[in-house]
Amino acid sequence: MLRHEFQPGRLVAGAFLTVAGITYIGDANDAWETPWFAVIPLVLGGLFLAGVTALLTRAIRKRRRHPTEG
């Protein structure tokens, strides 16, 4: 298997989307009652946090790759 760069933003997005899917599966199987609008903030919040994580990761890697002298 080829090695690739770890991308924590995708990990965060995948985790939140998995939780959203589990929420809908639980509602579909009558395990619990979920309002139709409950997953929207979960998905949007997860995508926001994934974007912030990706930006921070990029900034940290860029800084480590090109250290400033001075």
Side-chain angles (χ1 to χ4, degrees):
M1 181 159 135
L2 297 175
R3 297 192 74 175
H4 56 85
E5 190 174 55
F6 177 64
Q7 298 177 347
R10 289 186 180 191
L11 177 67
V12 171
F16 274 89
L17 291 175
T18 300
V19 169
I22 290 170
T23 302
Y24 270 131
I25 288 172
D27 185 40
N29 289 330
D30 292 327
W32 54 78
E33 190 69 30
T34 305
W36 66 269
F37 56 85
V39 177
I40 295 171
L42 182 66
V43 171
L44 292 178
L47 290 176
F48 174 76
L49 288 176
V52 169
T53 304
L55 287 174
L56 286 174
T57 303
R58 183 177 179 188
I60 290 170
R61 288 184 179 162
K62 187 176 180 181
R63 187 171 184 187
R64 285 185 182 174
R65 194 173 296 150
H66 301 291
T68 58
E69 297 177 9

